[in-house]
Amino acid sequence: MDLSKPWSNTDQFLWTSYPKPNNTNAAMDPPTLNDGAMWSDGSSLLLFGGALSRARGASPVIPPQGTWKYDILQDAWTNQGFNGARMQRIHLGVTAQSSTNEGYYLGGAITPASDPLFNSIPGAQPYMVSGLVTLQEDDLSFNNLSTVGMNSYNTMTAGYMVLIESLGESGILVAFGGITNSVGSAMGFAPDDLDFPGIQNTLDVISVYDIANETWYQQRATGDVPNWRYFGCSIVVSARDGSSHSMFICPISQSYVFGGWGNSLSGADGSVYVLSVPSFRWIRVTQDTTPRIKSTCHLLGKHTMLVYGGTTPTETSQFDPPASLCDGTSGNFSQGLGIFNLQNHTWTSSYDPADDSAYQVNPQITAVIGGNSEGGANVTWPSAGFNDIRLAALVGAVNDSTSNFASSTTNTTVTTITPSPQRSKTSLQPGSIAAVAIGVLVVLATIISLGLFLLFHRRKALQMSTTPDPVNKDPILHDEQKQELDGSQGFKGVHELLSQIPIYPVPEMRDRTSVQELPGHEVPPRTQKSLPALPHADT
């Protein structure tokens, strides 16, 4: 699609199609895969990861491991020249692309539909992996960086991530939402498999990665926090003075976030949210009850968000909706294209590249973080302070001592923040507040009375214990010197646990629908759960 000319999402002949080899030779032709990453160095496309597609005409055979490069001008494909860390094909991770030709792929999962060797194991179950994969697009070199400290499990799939290049020495990655689980734990990715809150990476805890220092931070976010969701998309734009950054989910930096599925129609929506950094405030800027999932978001020009692809899910058909729902139920997504104006926060049907005016911060955002359309945000500190003061310096936060926001103490250890449970946003009435206050006073009075009672009896008991008792004397114990156990006595061959979890074999998934205590002499027969359905989008 030519973005250098004005266009509308209702235009005919909007697309130009380039033929692609159709896997007649699996070792030589580029594969057809879903849920991977596509980066660009300006002249080529680079395709990493993904899982077997069920698109019409796609090969049913899982292709060999490999990363592919497409030279746009030469119309040529190759899987040669890639080097560095050895990569296994993963999918469902979250991606970002820098202006200096570096691709990022965070987390993801190994599944029978992504890895040909894994697929050959009978009954193999998908599992999540840790790590941040980077690809230097200039020399095609891979690296795999640590995600320790990102969250409780150091994993993420189907979440949201943006790159803010203006912060830190080399930029920062901001990630949130999606799914998390321990590395190597067998699991499914169908909606019914994801109802357990323990694997839902909620959006009130934000993970931030300092690229230059390879350090992860976690930070609590407040405001209009979206319900838990996954399979959405986001972009980032910054105020002209850099005082805030907005991430739009479909923060100054503002991160605009759109779409995603919350495992039910009531848990999802089609609203646009903004995460503002460095204040870490969520702001809902539109309200829509029609969700859309598995789209990608792109910044066009300076103030337009393009939402491409995806589907409108139904309660009974989340990942396989009718084809008619791929292009949306309204004109907002004709031909699968949604156009959102970041200046006035409205959906439109057309885009004109001649409108290259600078991004201006919308009043819906300045009403929360202060400042004006050019920037000048004066709320740059989280409401409860920073979890790590080093993060405050990294994102350029300034603590206004006249504000009510708590200051932070230095924290040099990896600290995991427990996500808050999803809850309704209600407030207490004045009468309820008074009743609570009276109740608290009564409880405090009771505690103090009980404490005085116990203190009196303890002193009386101590006085009695000091009086000699010639009849009942305590036995005299031998004063033996305590010693630390010698590791060589009965504990020969002490070994440290392996730091890497072996990929194969994969643990079985047992049926946990009912939990019963068993007698010690009974051992249940091993059962094998059927292979879970994998989400896909062939639209």
Side-chain angles (χ1 to χ4, degrees):
M1 186 169 64
D2 188 350
L3 299 177
S4 66
K5 301 176 182 178
W7 57 273
S8 168
N9 60 5
T10 59
D11 289 345
Q12 293 183 349
F13 312 111
L14 189 59
W15 301 97
T16 300
S17 176
Y18 293 85
K20 173 171 168 262
N22 60 355
N23 303 114
T24 55
N25 186 331
M28 300 298 296
D29 293 340
T32 300
L33 301 171
N34 286 337
D35 300 316
M38 184 167 68
W39 300 302
S40 175
D41 61 7
S43 61
S44 299
L45 303 178
L46 300 115
L47 280 67
F48 171 77
L52 190 66
S53 171
R54 288 187 287 177
R56 185 170 53 251
S59 171
V61 179
I62 298 177
Q65 300 280 5
T67 304
W68 286 83
K69 178 180 179 179
Y70 173 65
D71 188 309
I72 299 173
L73 293 179
Q74 300 297 323
D75 188 24
W77 292 86
T78 182
N79 59 359
Q80 303 300 308
F82 294 91
N83 61 92
R86 185 170 176 266
M87 292 293 110
Q88 196 171 5
R89 184 182 292 125
I90 53 182
H91 75 129
L92 297 174
V94 288
T95 71
Q97 161 87 47
S98 77
S99 62
T100 56
N101 295 339
E102 185 168 28
Y104 298 91
Y105 193 93
L106 176 61
I110 302 269
T111 75
S114 66
D115 186 292
L117 179 59
F118 191 54
N119 180 263
S120 66
I121 300 176
Q125 298 280 344
Y127 66 91
M128 296 181 63
V129 297
S130 61
L132 172 65
V133 174
T134 65
L135 174 63
Q136 296 290 342
E137 296 161 14
D138 296 333
D139 61 7
L140 302 183
S141 61
F142 278 109
N143 197 4
N144 196 358
L145 305 175
S146 173
T147 49
V148 171
M150 179 179 70
N151 55 30
S152 298
Y153 294 126
N154 307 318
T155 61
M156 177 182 288
T157 65
Y160 304 79
M161 184 172 71
V162 296
L163 167 65
I164 306 178
E165 297 187 82
S166 60
L167 296 180
E169 298 176 30
S170 303
I172 66 172
L173 295 171
V174 181
F176 43 86
I179 307 153
T180 183
N181 201 356
S182 58
V183 175
S185 294
M187 64 181 296
F189 288 97
D192 291 345
D193 299 316
L194 306 177
D195 278 335
F196 176 54
I199 63 175
Q200 297 173 357
N201 200 44
T202 59
L203 281 73
D204 65 328
V205 177
I206 311 299
S207 300
V208 179
Y209 183 66
D210 180 354
I211 295 174
N213 294 298
E214 299 183 2
T215 303
W216 283 97
Y217 301 95
Q218 295 180 58
Q219 177 58 45
R220 177 79 66 189
T222 57
D224 302 327
V225 180
N227 292 334
W228 171 72
R229 59 194 58 203
Y230 59 104
F231 281 148
C233 60
S234 59
I235 63 165
V236 62
V237 291
S238 300
R240 294 182 67 178
D241 66 352
S243 63
S244 71
H245 310 270
S246 295
M247 280 152 271
F248 286 72
I249 174 172
C250 156
I252 354 336
S253 278
Q254 324 307 329
S255 174
Y256 283 77
V257 180
F258 172 73
W261 181 247
N263 261 22
S264 68
L265 287 177
S266 60
D269 58 52
S271 302
V272 176
Y273 293 84
V274 169
L275 175 63
S276 186
V277 169
S279 67
F280 289 91
R281 298 295 208 283
W282 280 107
I283 307 164
R284 186 175 63 188
V285 298
T286 71
Q287 189 165 0
D288 193 327
T289 58
T290 304
R292 193 168 180 84
I293 64 172
K294 305 200 78 172
S295 304
T296 62
C297 293
H298 311 270
L299 179 64
L300 297 186
K302 299 176 181 177
H303 60 259
T304 301
M305 177 172 71
L306 171 64
V307 180
Y308 168 66
T311 63
T312 300
T314 65
E315 194 70 71
T316 58
S317 182
Q318 297 87 2
F319 302 123
D320 292 294
S324 60
L325 296 181
C326 293
D327 292 339
T329 55
S330 69
N332 286 345
F333 289 95
S334 293
Q335 301 191 74
L337 297 170
I339 306 167
F340 187 76
N341 189 315
L342 303 177
Q343 306 281 48
N344 56 27
H345 290 171
T346 59
W347 292 98
T348 182
S349 61
S350 60
Y351 171 73
D352 187 354
D355 181 7
D356 61 350
S357 57
Y359 167 73
Q360 294 184 330
V361 185
N362 188 279
Q364 289 177 288
I365 299 174
T366 58
V368 177
I369 65 172
N372 53 46
S373 61
E374 302 296 315
N378 50 39
V379 178
T380 62
W381 205 260
S383 60
F386 278 93
N387 185 49
D388 192 315
I389 198 64
R390 295 173 298 175
L391 177 58
L394 178 66
V395 298
V398 177
N399 189 10
D400 182 1
S401 59
T402 64
S403 71
N404 294 324
F405 303 140
S407 61
S408 301
T409 57
T410 302
N411 178 8
T412 58
T413 61
V414 175
T415 303
T416 299
I417 300 178
T418 302
S420 299
Q422 298 290 325
R423 58 190 181 275
S424 59
K425 300 176 182 178
T426 58
S427 58
L428 291 175
Q429 300 300 318
S432 300
I433 295 174
V436 171
I438 293 172
V440 170
L441 291 176
V442 171
V443 172
L444 286 176
T446 303
I447 293 174
I448 292 172
S449 300
L450 180 61
L452 292 174
F453 174 80
L454 294 175
L455 179 61
F456 171 77
H457 282 274
R458 183 173 183 274
R459 286 181 175 178
K460 186 175 181 180
L462 288 174
Q463 290 173 357
M464 295 178 63
S465 66
T466 57
T467 304
D469 185 352
V471 179
N472 298 312
K473 292 185 178 181
D474 293 332
I476 300 175
L477 301 177
H478 294 289
D479 185 15
E480 296 181 348
Q481 184 67 30
K482 296 181 176 64
Q483 296 180 351
E484 186 173 0
L485 286 175
D486 185 355
S488 64
Q489 299 179 5
F491 297 91
K492 296 181 180 180
V494 179
H495 302 280
E496 186 176 4
L497 290 174
L498 291 174
S499 61
Q500 296 294 327
I501 297 176
I503 293 178
Y504 309 111
V506 176
E508 291 179 313
M509 175 66 84
R510 291 185 173 89
D511 186 0
R512 300 178 183 175
T513 56
S514 61
V515 180
Q516 298 178 350
E517 186 173 2
L518 297 175
H521 65 277
E522 293 186 13
V523 179
R526 294 174 65 87
T527 60
Q528 181 65 54
K529 185 177 179 180
S530 61
L531 191 65
L534 294 174
H536 64 91
D538 297 323
T539 58

